[in-house]
Amino acid sequence: MVTDGERREVRAGVARRLAQVGAGLLAYAALLLGCAGRPTWGWGWAYLAATLCVVAVNARVMPPELVAERGRSKAGARAWDRALTRIGAVPYLALPAVAGLDERWRLSPEMQAAAHLAGLAAFLLGQGLFTWAVASNRFFSTAVRIQADRGHTVQTGGPYAFVRHPGYAGAGAATLASPLALGSWWALVPAAATAAILVARTALEDRMLRAELPGYEAYARRVRWRLVPGVW
């Protein structure tokens, strides 16, 4: 039975996570539009609107306990996870800055509207896979750890029937689609760096789960692919 103290802790965790996400969105928007030097940049606003929709849907499908878990500090995470998070923040924040500066200085050839729309569609598809993973895994934490305090078990439903880390697959696809959505070829550099860090995190997390989470080794033998079926 859930106690009043546990309910208060969950509510505090939800509030903390909402504050984190809100601050992150504001910082991302400020970098994107500030570096562009043009607050009326239509494709920048379209990208931000798509991102906001994704955040709203994710908040809707996550149970409060998972939202609270995702608001936890990284203190309980593996050292390599904390290191990758710090390293990954650089290209993650560089992407909107580079895309904005590209728009300001017109460094990339102008793209047709169809290319922007294709990028937005690919971004939403990648984020849709991420959301499906979130909805299928109540242990989808932002920190890589064995969640013994939450009864951590292997999740095999939804996209986990096809690849072992669909959340990373979706996030990587959305990241690589972002430069096209924003019309910036130069932004592919930080996007590729971010995707590479996600791949490294996938490999390290998979190794940890195989060694420490009961039942995961058998699941990994059954579902062979980590990110892309037939590839890796």
Side-chain angles (χ1 to χ4, degrees):
M1 184 173 177
V2 179
T3 66
D4 289 341
E6 289 171 333
R7 290 192 186 93
R8 285 194 296 271
E9 185 177 349
V10 168
R11 285 196 295 268
V14 169
R16 182 168 56 248
R17 182 58 181 167
L18 291 176
Q20 290 171 353
V21 172
L25 283 173
L26 287 174
Y28 205 90
L31 274 172
L32 186 65
L33 300 176
C35 288
R38 191 158 59 88
T40 57
W41 179 24
W43 291 115
W45 278 109
Y47 179 79
L48 290 173
T51 301
L52 185 60
C53 288
V54 169
V55 169
V57 171
N58 287 345
R60 180 66 177 172
V61 303
M62 285 186 203
E65 295 77 14
L66 178 55
V67 177
E69 164 64 27
R70 291 177 66 80
R72 288 171 59 114
S73 73
K74 284 277 192 178
R78 301 302 165 98
W80 55 261
D81 180 36
R82 295 195 299 272
L84 284 177
T85 298
R86 288 191 292 268
I87 295 168
V90 176
Y92 174 78
L93 294 175
L95 195 160
V98 170
L101 291 173
D102 197 347
E103 170 65 18
R104 179 192 289 247
W105 295 328
R106 307 290 182 178
L107 300 174
S108 293
E110 186 174 356
M111 294 185 189
Q112 298 297 315
H116 285 279
L117 291 172
L120 282 171
F123 172 81
L124 289 172
L125 285 172
Q127 292 288 5
L129 177 57
F130 180 89
T131 299
W132 190 17
V134 167
S136 304
N137 183 359
R138 65 189 186 91
F139 303 106
F140 202 108
S141 178
T142 55
V144 177
R145 68 185 188 93
I146 300 298
Q147 300 170 50
D149 55 314
R150 302 184 64 234
H152 199 167
T153 56
V154 178
Q155 303 298 289
T156 60
Y160 291 90
F162 308 102
V163 292
R164 302 201 296 272
H165 300 277
Y168 290 148
T175 298
L176 292 173
S178 295
L180 184 60
L182 293 165
S184 171
W185 294 117
W186 283 101
L188 278 171
V189 175
T194 301
I197 291 170
L198 285 175
V199 171
R201 194 179 190 218
T202 300
L204 291 168
E205 183 173 340
D206 198 74
R207 186 173 67 184
M208 181 203 76
L209 292 171
R210 294 182 86 140
E212 301 181 29
L213 184 61
Y216 192 86
E217 181 62 39
Y219 164 67
R221 288 195 295 268
R222 187 169 69 254
V223 179
R224 294 176 54 199
W225 310 109
R226 295 172 182 168
L227 289 177
V228 182
V231 179
W232 186 71

